[in-house]
Amino acid sequence: MAEDENYDEDYWSNSEQGIDRYFVIFLSLLVISLTCSKFLHDSPRLSSALPEAGMIIIIGAIAGLILFELSPLSDDNGNDNDGNDDDGNINESVAEGLMSFSPTIFFKVLLPPIIFNSGYMLQREVFFRHIIPISLFACVGTAISTAVVTLVLELVKGLGLLGDFEPRFTELLTFGALISATDPVSTLAVFQAKKVDPQLFYLVFGESVLNDAVGLVLFKTCSGLVGNEDNLEKIYSAILNFLLDFTIGFVGSMVLGLFAGLACAFFLKKVDMRHTPLLELCLFFLIIYLPFFLAESIGLSGIVTILFTGISAQRYVTHNLSVSTEEAVDKLFRMWAHLAETSIFLELGLSVISYGENLGSHWAFTGFAILACLIGRALNIYPLRSIYNS
């Protein structure tokens, strides 16, 4: 037991050597990814077949496989097969850290600049022209997808195709709400690389961002039903709370984002910082994270908030910036968003091997869940599109 405690204390983030080695490897992989991206852009034939995001995931997967093979493995007692030296423990913990995708880092560090930059560079006329179908797909579509995923997995469970794994209906409903919210990062990466039609881009991107608010409230509501399947009063209360929380959450997130941009514009109008461009740039950069964390701390959607912060900042704040800061802001936001996107896809690739090891006997559920997601996506996109176009 003492050896296990010592090993836990040697986790890479608690060791200076571990932190140094972690960032040496990760930053080196970032350099390799950016260099390969340059050669990919120089080859139109290759780039038409392989998106930049896909290439970075492949690089991460190869690096993860190498780390998995080279890192010292521990036996069941937590002892290193190659010896109990601290250096070996640090190397193993660094490899494990690289091959695990931290959701905290993803949501709190990497995602905000990507969404803010998207809002800042947004073509407002095209986006708001399609706000009705975007809202239709984000709200009704996410609810339909959640229901379809739940029913498909419940059917699969009833047929006994999941083996000994028998989740309750409310647990499947919670999983359906969690998995039905689409990912804006991959949408941005692929659609921007392919230069798709702006109307299609904003329809898919807008839906992927706004359904975060729907998925967040729906997940909280469904998770509250787990263990209360037979309590009808609890179910009715959960439905009413969902409608109330969604209205407050979505509208509140949007209002908070718009208010954050307006507040920054008002501050810069009253406090002239044009003669101190460095301080001006630092202040403007802070609005990437401050509204996001404020929204998350009060139970709103940080993604929706930061999207509308970017929209309002581009509309109102830029008029109160110096010319040099305005030019620097454009490059800074693009650079920060691109590095964040590259880091996300690199981490996804690195985590493939470790997630494959951890899945164990749940491959059947994973496969049927992917199938259920595809069916749910089809049954919400095509019918809603037909209804809207009619």
Side-chain angles (χ1 to χ4, degrees):
M1 181 63 69
E3 291 179 358
D4 290 341
E5 292 176 356
N6 290 334
Y7 174 73
D8 292 337
E9 292 175 358
D10 284 334
Y11 186 68
W12 70 268
S13 61
N14 296 326
S15 164
E16 289 188 9
Q17 286 183 327
I19 293 173
D20 293 339
R21 294 175 189 179
Y22 178 93
F23 281 106
V24 165
I25 296 174
F26 188 77
L27 293 179
S28 298
L29 290 174
L30 268 182
V31 171
I32 294 172
S33 300
L34 294 173
T35 305
C36 291
S37 296
K38 190 269 181 190
F39 291 113
L40 182 68
H41 288 301
D42 290 343
S43 177
R45 180 177 298 180
L46 181 59
S47 60
S48 63
L50 178 64
E52 183 178 353
M55 181 200 66
I56 296 171
I57 291 176
I58 292 173
I59 293 173
I62 294 173
L65 180 61
I66 295 173
L67 287 170
F68 182 78
E69 294 294 334
L70 295 181
S71 61
L73 301 178
S74 299
D75 58 26
D76 294 336
N77 296 321
N79 297 322
D80 198 322
N81 292 335
D82 294 333
N84 282 326
D85 57 289
D86 293 338
D87 192 64
N89 287 339
I90 292 174
N91 288 336
E92 181 179 355
S93 63
V94 167
E96 291 177 352
L98 286 165
M99 291 189 292
S100 61
F101 196 176
S102 170
T104 301
I105 297 297
F106 173 71
F107 284 108
K108 306 300 185 183
V109 179
L110 300 178
L111 191 58
I114 296 174
I115 303 302
F116 180 87
N117 183 68
S118 301
Y120 191 77
M121 303 297 173
L122 191 73
Q123 297 181 24
R124 295 187 302 275
E125 294 182 3
V126 180
F127 178 79
F128 288 108
R129 187 191 310 156
H130 296 87
I131 194 64
I132 294 178
I134 287 173
S135 301
L136 183 66
F137 289 131
C139 301
V140 181
T142 303
I144 293 174
S145 180
T146 299
V148 171
V149 170
T150 304
L151 293 175
V152 170
L153 292 177
E154 180 69 17
L155 176 62
V156 170
K157 184 187 75 172
L159 295 174
L161 299 177
L162 297 181
D164 296 333
F165 183 54
E166 295 185 355
R168 290 178 288 187
F169 180 80
T170 50
E171 292 174 333
L172 292 177
L173 188 63
T174 304
F175 174 78
L178 175 68
I179 207 69
S180 294
T182 53
D183 173 34
V185 178
S186 57
T187 301
L188 280 169
V190 176
F191 278 28
Q192 286 178 347
K194 297 298 182 182
K195 295 181 172 59
V196 300
D197 179 78
Q199 295 186 15
L200 175 62
F201 175 86
Y202 285 113
L203 275 173
V204 178
F205 168 69
E207 185 257 344
S208 67
V209 172
L210 297 187
N211 70 9
D212 172 75
V214 183
L216 176 65
V217 178
L218 197 57
F219 174 78
K220 289 181 178 178
T221 302
C222 294
S223 60
L225 295 176
V226 177
N228 298 288
E229 294 84 353
D230 299 327
N231 191 337
L232 292 178
E233 183 179 348
K234 183 77 173 181
I235 294 175
Y236 293 144
S237 175
I239 294 174
L240 292 176
N241 287 335
F242 166 74
L243 297 175
L244 180 62
D245 290 345
F246 169 70
T247 302
I248 295 175
F250 181 78
V251 176
S253 300
M254 182 177 63
V255 171
L256 178 60
L258 294 173
F259 175 78
L262 290 172
C264 185
F266 179 78
F267 178 83
L268 290 175
K269 184 177 181 180
K270 295 299 181 180
V271 181
D272 190 357
M273 304 187 71
R274 291 183 176 89
H275 300 295
T276 53
L278 179 60
L279 297 179
E280 185 181 41
L281 179 61
C282 293
L283 179 67
F284 192 31
F285 184 77
L286 289 178
I287 67 171
I288 290 181
Y289 288 104
L290 183 58
F292 179 87
F293 286 114
L294 178 59
E296 293 289 327
S297 67
I298 59 178
L300 300 179
S301 170
I303 293 179
V304 176
T305 297
I306 206 65
L307 173 70
F308 282 94
T309 301
I311 294 173
S312 60
Q314 202 281 331
R315 176 66 177 85
Y316 300 107
V317 178
T318 52
H319 301 294
N320 299 312
L321 298 175
S322 61
V323 176
S324 60
T325 300
E326 189 173 352
E327 294 175 352
V329 158
D330 180 70
K331 295 179 180 178
L332 178 65
F333 288 166
R334 287 178 183 270
M335 178 206 70
W336 191 239
H338 186 75
L339 283 176
E341 286 182 8
T342 305
S343 299
I344 288 172
F345 291 119
L346 187 59
E347 283 280 12
L348 283 175
L350 284 166
S351 62
V352 166
I353 303 299
S354 61
Y355 283 171
E357 287 289 314
N358 294 330
L359 275 177
S361 60
H362 296 307
W363 279 107
F365 178 79
T366 303
F368 284 116
I370 294 173
L371 178 62
C373 289
L374 294 175
I375 296 173
R377 190 69 177 163
L379 291 181
N380 88 68
I381 293 296
Y382 294 113
L384 291 179
R385 183 200 63 179
S386 300
I387 293 172
Y388 178 76
N389 289 335
S390 62

